PDB file of all heavy atoms in Angstrom:
ATOM      1  N   GLY H 136      53.340   5.982  -3.388  1.00  0.00           N
ATOM      2  CA  GLY H 136      52.087   5.924  -2.653  1.00  0.00           C
ATOM      3  C   GLY H 136      52.193   5.389  -1.244  1.00  0.00           C
ATOM      4  O   GLY H 136      51.158   5.208  -0.576  1.00  0.00           O
ATOM      5  N   HIS H 137      53.390   5.112  -0.769  1.00  0.00           N
ATOM      6  CA  HIS H 137      53.560   4.587   0.587  1.00  0.00           C
ATOM      7  C   HIS H 137      54.566   5.428   1.362  1.00  0.00           C
ATOM      8  O   HIS H 137      55.457   6.064   0.782  1.00  0.00           O
ATOM      9  CB  HIS H 137      54.023   3.134   0.545  1.00  0.00           C
ATOM     10  CG  HIS H 137      53.034   2.207  -0.097  1.00  0.00           C
ATOM     11  ND1 HIS H 137      51.864   1.824   0.517  1.00  0.00           N
ATOM     12  CD2 HIS H 137      53.029   1.614  -1.326  1.00  0.00           C
ATOM     13  CE1 HIS H 137      51.174   1.022  -0.282  1.00  0.00           C
ATOM     14  NE2 HIS H 137      51.862   0.881  -1.415  1.00  0.00           N
ATOM     15  N   GLN H 138      54.423   5.397   2.682  1.00  0.00           N
ATOM     16  CA  GLN H 138      55.313   6.165   3.556  1.00  0.00           C
ATOM     17  C   GLN H 138      56.336   5.218   4.173  1.00  0.00           C
ATOM     18  O   GLN H 138      55.978   4.223   4.793  1.00  0.00           O
ATOM     19  CB  GLN H 138      54.507   6.861   4.660  1.00  0.00           C
ATOM     20  CG  GLN H 138      55.261   7.943   5.391  1.00  0.00           C
ATOM     21  CD  GLN H 138      55.346   9.241   4.598  1.00  0.00           C
ATOM     22  OE1 GLN H 138      54.548   9.485   3.697  1.00  0.00           O
ATOM     23  NE2 GLN H 138      56.312  10.077   4.931  1.00  0.00           N
ATOM     24  N   TYR H 139      57.624   5.563   4.005  1.00  0.00           N
ATOM     25  CA  TYR H 139      58.690   4.699   4.509  1.00  0.00           C
ATOM     26  C   TYR H 139      59.542   5.361   5.597  1.00  0.00           C
ATOM     27  O   TYR H 139      60.497   4.746   6.076  1.00  0.00           O
ATOM     28  CB  TYR H 139      59.590   4.264   3.357  1.00  0.00           C
ATOM     29  CG  TYR H 139      58.913   3.293   2.412  1.00  0.00           C
ATOM     30  CD1 TYR H 139      58.292   3.749   1.251  1.00  0.00           C
ATOM     31  CD2 TYR H 139      58.873   1.930   2.688  1.00  0.00           C
ATOM     32  CE1 TYR H 139      57.666   2.866   0.382  1.00  0.00           C
ATOM     33  CE2 TYR H 139      58.253   1.044   1.828  1.00  0.00           C
ATOM     34  CZ  TYR H 139      57.647   1.514   0.667  1.00  0.00           C
ATOM     35  OH  TYR H 139      57.022   0.639  -0.191  1.00  0.00           O
ATOM     36  N   GLY H 140      59.212   6.579   5.951  1.00  0.00           N
ATOM     37  CA  GLY H 140      59.951   7.255   7.013  1.00  0.00           C
ATOM     38  C   GLY H 140      59.120   8.392   7.560  1.00  0.00           C
ATOM     39  O   GLY H 140      58.176   8.865   6.926  1.00  0.00           O
ATOM     40  N   LEU H 141      59.446   8.819   8.773  1.00  0.00           N
ATOM     41  CA  LEU H 141      58.770   9.944   9.413  1.00  0.00           C
ATOM     42  C   LEU H 141      59.783  11.055   9.634  1.00  0.00           C
ATOM     43  O   LEU H 141      60.899  10.812  10.095  1.00  0.00           O
ATOM     44  CB  LEU H 141      58.160   9.517  10.745  1.00  0.00           C
ATOM     45  CG  LEU H 141      57.164   8.355  10.693  1.00  0.00           C
ATOM     46  CD1 LEU H 141      56.686   8.009  12.099  1.00  0.00           C
ATOM     47  CD2 LEU H 141      55.981   8.688   9.779  1.00  0.00           C
ATOM     48  N   ALA H 142      59.385  12.280   9.315  1.00  0.00           N
ATOM     49  CA  ALA H 142      60.303  13.421   9.410  1.00  0.00           C
ATOM     50  C   ALA H 142      60.468  13.837  10.874  1.00  0.00           C
ATOM     51  O   ALA H 142      59.881  14.806  11.332  1.00  0.00           O
ATOM     52  CB  ALA H 142      59.784  14.581   8.578  1.00  0.00           C
ATOM     53  N   SER H 143      61.294  13.102  11.576  1.00  0.00           N
ATOM     54  CA  SER H 143      61.545  13.408  12.990  1.00  0.00           C
ATOM     55  C   SER H 143      62.486  14.585  13.163  1.00  0.00           C
ATOM     56  O   SER H 143      62.643  15.117  14.274  1.00  0.00           O
ATOM     57  CB  SER H 143      62.122  12.177  13.694  1.00  0.00           C
ATOM     58  OG  SER H 143      63.272  11.698  13.014  1.00  0.00           O
ATOM     59  N   ASP H 144      63.119  15.020  12.086  1.00  0.00           N
ATOM     60  CA  ASP H 144      64.112  16.094  12.113  1.00  0.00           C
ATOM     61  C   ASP H 144      63.992  16.859  10.799  1.00  0.00           C
ATOM     62  O   ASP H 144      63.870  16.251   9.739  1.00  0.00           O
ATOM     63  CB  ASP H 144      65.507  15.463  12.263  1.00  0.00           C
ATOM     64  CG  ASP H 144      66.652  16.457  12.236  1.00  0.00           C
ATOM     65  OD1 ASP H 144      66.867  17.103  11.194  1.00  0.00           O
ATOM     66  OD2 ASP H 144      67.360  16.558  13.240  1.00  0.00           O
ATOM     67  N   ALA H 145      63.984  18.192  10.871  1.00  0.00           N
ATOM     68  CA  ALA H 145      63.899  19.004   9.658  1.00  0.00           C
ATOM     69  C   ALA H 145      65.064  19.980   9.605  1.00  0.00           C
ATOM     70  O   ALA H 145      65.452  20.557  10.620  1.00  0.00           O
ATOM     71  CB  ALA H 145      62.575  19.776   9.606  1.00  0.00           C
ATOM     72  N   ALA H 146      65.622  20.141   8.409  1.00  0.00           N
ATOM     73  CA  ALA H 146      66.763  21.044   8.230  1.00  0.00           C
ATOM     74  C   ALA H 146      66.894  21.398   6.759  1.00  0.00           C
ATOM     75  O   ALA H 146      66.345  20.731   5.884  1.00  0.00           O
ATOM     76  CB  ALA H 146      68.059  20.407   8.741  1.00  0.00           C
ATOM     77  N   ALA H 147      67.633  22.452   6.503  1.00  0.00           N
ATOM     78  CA  ALA H 147      68.038  22.857   5.163  1.00  0.00           C
ATOM     79  C   ALA H 147      69.269  23.724   5.337  1.00  0.00           C
ATOM     80  O   ALA H 147      69.658  24.053   6.466  1.00  0.00           O
ATOM     81  CB  ALA H 147      66.927  23.638   4.450  1.00  0.00           C
TER      82      ALA H 147
END
Side-chain angles (χ1 to χ4, degrees):
H137 297 287
Q138 195 78 21
Y139 290 95
L141 303 178
S143 54
D144 177 295

